[in-house]
Amino acid sequence: MTALTTLGQFIIEKQADFPYAKGELSRLLRDIGIAAKIVNREVNKAGLMDILGDAGSINIQGESQKKLDVFANEQFISALKSGGECCVVVSEENDEYLYIDSEISKDAKYIVAMDPLDGSSNIDVNVSVGTIFSIFRRKSKAGEATMEDALQKGIDQVAAGYIIYGSSTMLVYTTGKGVNGFTLDPSIGEFCLSHPNMTIPEDGYIYSINEGYYTHFPDGVKKYIKYCQVEDVATQRPYTSRYTGSMVADLHRNMIKGGIFIYPITAQAPNGKLRLVYECNPMAFIIEQAGGFASNGYQRILTLDVTELHQRSAIFIGSANMVKQAEEMMKCFSPQV
Ligand code: P6P
């Protein structure tokens, strides 16, 4: 029986990697893990509760908020507030950033940006959904918060992670020293280390993109899709198309098996659909830490300027060689104007 390492034990053990750490980031990650277990409990019984269906409100994206979206947002914000290690929260579900000016949080060192329940349109059909989070150090001085805290480049993240509520519930995160995955053991209510030192294969044969928008894709994307569909000379096989409509699920599968996830600009989404601050940047940090790469088709995601909380970006993310090949086709057939 191999010894179990819980998320809490692992975080404490790895704290030694940060000589000046005083435990705040460790406690912040623990707070996120606790909220994830509460959200997991509700996601797993969503079908049994009157928790499905729209909560009636509309978020800034113009999307109807399902009750689980609202519930997840509340749980993560509540855990961050009571933990006292986070002073500002940016959430897909909140139009503005939230400054937690309580006595225990107003001077806290960290900012959390999150998509509390990504892919929530899949809840009713029982397809995996996920939470995505990104952690920065605050730039403002203690006792206040500014938009500068919330609009930091992806390259400045100190940690990022996702939780996938799937056939099992996993929490995957990085603090800039590799990527580790933890599977929730419901019998003990603990996330246990199950995927140490995760790496994404440099190459893969899975491409994830919503081909329903094909006619509206840039020529470079069309060329890449056609490339994926032609027999690969080396292996005499075409690629496999896998797309769930849930970014966390698609990226997690590609992390394990190798592959590329693409959400390019389309007629409906002229700046891309996915949000830079709390979807593209955290996933890019994780994938790069696992040896992959993430681009907007022309530029590394983590270096993009961040000018708005809910700013969107095109994203090509996954196995490094696949992303670089797709980027080449974009630069060749859809040169940036
Ligand atoms: P489409 C879910 O709404 C999401 O933000 C991502 O999780 C997912 O990859 C994408 O949008 C799906 O978008 O336009 O293909 O339905």
Side-chain angles (χ1 to χ4, degrees), residues 118-119 210 213 243 245-247 261 263 273-275 279:
D118 178 70
N210 186 339
Y213 304 133
Y243 190 78
S246 183
M247 180 191 199
F261 173 91
Y263 206 110
K273 175 184 181 183
L274 300 178
R275 288 79 172 181
E279 290 175 329

mmCIF file of all heavy atoms in Angstrom, residues 118-119 210 213 243 245-247 261 263 273-275 279, ligand 1:
data_model
loop_
_atom_site.group_PDB
_atom_site.id
_atom_site.type_symbol
_atom_site.label_atom_id
_atom_site.label_comp_id
_atom_site.label_asym_id
_atom_site.label_seq_id
_atom_site.Cartn_x
_atom_site.Cartn_y
_atom_site.Cartn_z
ATOM 1 N N ASP A 118 -16.465 26.464 -15.191
ATOM 2 C CA ASP A 118 -16.342 26.599 -16.643
ATOM 3 C C ASP A 118 -17.039 25.421 -17.342
ATOM 4 O O ASP A 118 -16.982 24.287 -16.873
ATOM 5 C CB ASP A 118 -14.862 26.609 -17.016
ATOM 6 C CG ASP A 118 -14.685 26.698 -18.511
ATOM 7 O OD1 ASP A 118 -14.982 27.759 -19.076
ATOM 8 O OD2 ASP A 118 -14.302 25.683 -19.126
ATOM 9 N N GLY A 119 -17.699 25.740 -18.443
ATOM 10 C CA GLY A 119 -18.372 24.669 -19.195
ATOM 11 C C GLY A 119 -19.726 24.329 -18.605
ATOM 12 O O GLY A 119 -20.272 23.252 -18.821
ATOM 13 N N ASN A 210 -14.164 23.506 -32.213
ATOM 14 C CA ASN A 210 -15.575 23.411 -32.595
ATOM 15 C C ASN A 210 -15.698 23.643 -34.102
ATOM 16 O O ASN A 210 -15.801 24.784 -34.564
ATOM 17 C CB ASN A 210 -16.414 24.443 -31.838
ATOM 18 C CG ASN A 210 -17.907 24.264 -32.116
ATOM 19 O OD1 ASN A 210 -18.285 23.661 -33.130
ATOM 20 N ND2 ASN A 210 -18.741 24.779 -31.231
ATOM 21 N N TYR A 213 -17.935 26.021 -36.513
ATOM 22 C CA TYR A 213 -17.664 27.402 -36.941
ATOM 23 C C TYR A 213 -16.682 27.441 -38.121
ATOM 24 O O TYR A 213 -16.133 28.496 -38.443
ATOM 25 C CB TYR A 213 -17.045 28.206 -35.795
ATOM 26 C CG TYR A 213 -17.849 28.246 -34.525
ATOM 27 C CD1 TYR A 213 -17.227 28.004 -33.288
ATOM 28 C CD2 TYR A 213 -19.211 28.529 -34.515
ATOM 29 C CE1 TYR A 213 -17.944 28.047 -32.096
ATOM 30 C CE2 TYR A 213 -19.935 28.582 -33.331
ATOM 31 C CZ TYR A 213 -19.302 28.333 -32.123
ATOM 32 O OH TYR A 213 -20.009 28.371 -30.935
ATOM 33 N N TYR A 243 -13.845 17.017 -28.886
ATOM 34 C CA TYR A 243 -14.262 18.347 -28.413
ATOM 35 C C TYR A 243 -15.498 18.197 -27.535
ATOM 36 O O TYR A 243 -16.523 17.694 -27.984
ATOM 37 C CB TYR A 243 -14.581 19.261 -29.598
ATOM 38 C CG TYR A 243 -14.792 20.722 -29.229
ATOM 39 C CD1 TYR A 243 -13.704 21.552 -28.971
ATOM 40 C CD2 TYR A 243 -16.070 21.265 -29.119
ATOM 41 C CE1 TYR A 243 -13.885 22.892 -28.633
ATOM 42 C CE2 TYR A 243 -16.263 22.601 -28.772
ATOM 43 C CZ TYR A 243 -15.167 23.412 -28.533
ATOM 44 O OH TYR A 243 -15.339 24.734 -28.188
ATOM 45 N N GLY A 245 -16.746 20.802 -25.469
ATOM 46 C CA GLY A 245 -17.443 22.040 -25.110
ATOM 47 C C GLY A 245 -17.124 22.470 -23.685
ATOM 48 O O GLY A 245 -17.744 23.382 -23.140
ATOM 49 N N SER A 246 -16.153 21.805 -23.088
ATOM 50 C CA SER A 246 -15.694 22.172 -21.738
ATOM 51 C C SER A 246 -14.170 22.245 -21.785
ATOM 52 O O SER A 246 -13.486 21.217 -21.870
ATOM 53 C CB SER A 246 -16.152 21.107 -20.744
ATOM 54 O OG SER A 246 -15.787 21.450 -19.424
ATOM 55 N N MET A 247 -13.661 23.475 -21.721
ATOM 56 C CA MET A 247 -12.213 23.694 -21.927
ATOM 57 C C MET A 247 -11.376 22.864 -20.962
ATOM 58 O O MET A 247 -10.391 22.226 -21.374
ATOM 59 C CB MET A 247 -11.893 25.177 -21.737
ATOM 60 C CG MET A 247 -10.430 25.528 -21.916
ATOM 61 S SD MET A 247 -10.120 27.215 -21.348
ATOM 62 C CE MET A 247 -8.575 27.564 -22.175
ATOM 63 N N PHE A 261 -5.711 22.183 -28.284
ATOM 64 C CA PHE A 261 -7.045 22.776 -28.142
ATOM 65 C C PHE A 261 -6.982 24.152 -28.796
ATOM 66 O O PHE A 261 -6.059 24.927 -28.531
ATOM 67 C CB PHE A 261 -7.404 22.912 -26.660
ATOM 68 C CG PHE A 261 -8.689 23.664 -26.404
ATOM 69 C CD1 PHE A 261 -9.892 22.993 -26.311
ATOM 70 C CD2 PHE A 261 -8.699 25.050 -26.267
ATOM 71 C CE1 PHE A 261 -11.084 23.678 -26.075
ATOM 72 C CE2 PHE A 261 -9.868 25.751 -26.047
ATOM 73 C CZ PHE A 261 -11.067 25.055 -25.943
ATOM 74 N N TYR A 263 -9.315 27.610 -29.759
ATOM 75 C CA TYR A 263 -10.512 28.430 -29.876
ATOM 76 C C TYR A 263 -10.080 29.726 -30.563
ATOM 77 O O TYR A 263 -9.587 30.646 -29.907
ATOM 78 C CB TYR A 263 -11.199 28.715 -28.541
ATOM 79 C CG TYR A 263 -12.679 28.977 -28.752
ATOM 80 C CD1 TYR A 263 -13.640 28.077 -28.330
ATOM 81 C CD2 TYR A 263 -13.108 30.109 -29.460
ATOM 82 C CE1 TYR A 263 -14.995 28.298 -28.577
ATOM 83 C CE2 TYR A 263 -14.435 30.341 -29.742
ATOM 84 C CZ TYR A 263 -15.384 29.424 -29.303
ATOM 85 O OH TYR A 263 -16.721 29.637 -29.566
ATOM 86 N N LYS A 273 -13.298 33.707 -27.868
ATOM 87 C CA LYS A 273 -14.373 33.580 -26.871
ATOM 88 C C LYS A 273 -13.812 33.482 -25.461
ATOM 89 O O LYS A 273 -14.372 34.040 -24.519
ATOM 90 C CB LYS A 273 -15.221 32.336 -27.146
ATOM 91 C CG LYS A 273 -16.269 32.097 -26.057
ATOM 92 C CD LYS A 273 -17.055 30.837 -26.258
ATOM 93 C CE LYS A 273 -18.100 30.677 -25.146
ATOM 94 N NZ LYS A 273 -18.863 29.408 -25.266
ATOM 95 N N LEU A 274 -12.699 32.782 -25.304
ATOM 96 C CA LEU A 274 -12.204 32.487 -23.964
ATOM 97 C C LEU A 274 -11.531 33.709 -23.355
ATOM 98 O O LEU A 274 -10.956 34.547 -24.055
ATOM 99 C CB LEU A 274 -11.274 31.278 -24.010
ATOM 100 C CG LEU A 274 -11.991 30.031 -24.545
ATOM 101 C CD1 LEU A 274 -11.052 28.858 -24.644
ATOM 102 C CD2 LEU A 274 -13.204 29.686 -23.698
ATOM 103 N N ARG A 275 -11.661 33.801 -21.994
ATOM 104 C CA ARG A 275 -11.196 34.989 -21.298
ATOM 105 C C ARG A 275 -9.744 34.845 -20.938
ATOM 106 O O ARG A 275 -9.297 33.808 -20.458
ATOM 107 C CB ARG A 275 -12.038 35.212 -20.040
ATOM 108 C CG ARG A 275 -13.455 35.682 -20.335
ATOM 109 C CD ARG A 275 -14.325 34.508 -20.757
ATOM 110 N NE ARG A 275 -15.720 34.842 -20.864
ATOM 111 C CZ ARG A 275 -16.639 33.955 -21.208
ATOM 112 N NH1 ARG A 275 -16.249 32.712 -21.450
ATOM 113 N NH2 ARG A 275 -17.889 34.272 -21.299
ATOM 114 N N GLU A 279 -9.097 32.243 -17.771
ATOM 115 C CA GLU A 279 -9.130 30.966 -18.499
ATOM 116 C C GLU A 279 -7.811 30.748 -19.253
ATOM 117 O O GLU A 279 -7.075 29.807 -18.972
ATOM 118 C CB GLU A 279 -10.323 30.940 -19.477
ATOM 119 C CG GLU A 279 -11.672 30.860 -18.773
ATOM 120 C CD GLU A 279 -12.855 30.947 -19.727
ATOM 121 O OE1 GLU A 279 -12.769 31.600 -20.779
ATOM 122 O OE2 GLU A 279 -13.917 30.368 -19.397
HETATM 123 P P1 P6P B 1 -18.422 26.719 -27.939
HETATM 124 C C1 P6P B 1 -17.636 26.899 -22.048
HETATM 125 O O1 P6P B 1 -18.715 27.825 -22.204
HETATM 126 C C2 P6P B 1 -16.400 27.521 -22.696
HETATM 127 O O2 P6P B 1 -16.100 28.731 -22.069
HETATM 128 C C3 P6P B 1 -15.229 26.561 -22.646
HETATM 129 O O3 P6P B 1 -15.198 25.762 -21.518
HETATM 130 C C4 P6P B 1 -15.421 25.739 -23.906
HETATM 131 O O4 P6P B 1 -14.205 25.212 -24.408
HETATM 132 C C5 P6P B 1 -16.024 26.752 -24.873
HETATM 133 O O5 P6P B 1 -16.658 27.759 -24.073
HETATM 134 C C6 P6P B 1 -17.044 26.118 -25.777
HETATM 135 O O6 P6P B 1 -17.497 27.131 -26.668
HETATM 136 O O7 P6P B 1 -18.577 28.007 -28.714
HETATM 137 O O8 P6P B 1 -17.632 25.668 -28.724
HETATM 138 O O9 P6P B 1 -19.696 26.154 -27.382
#
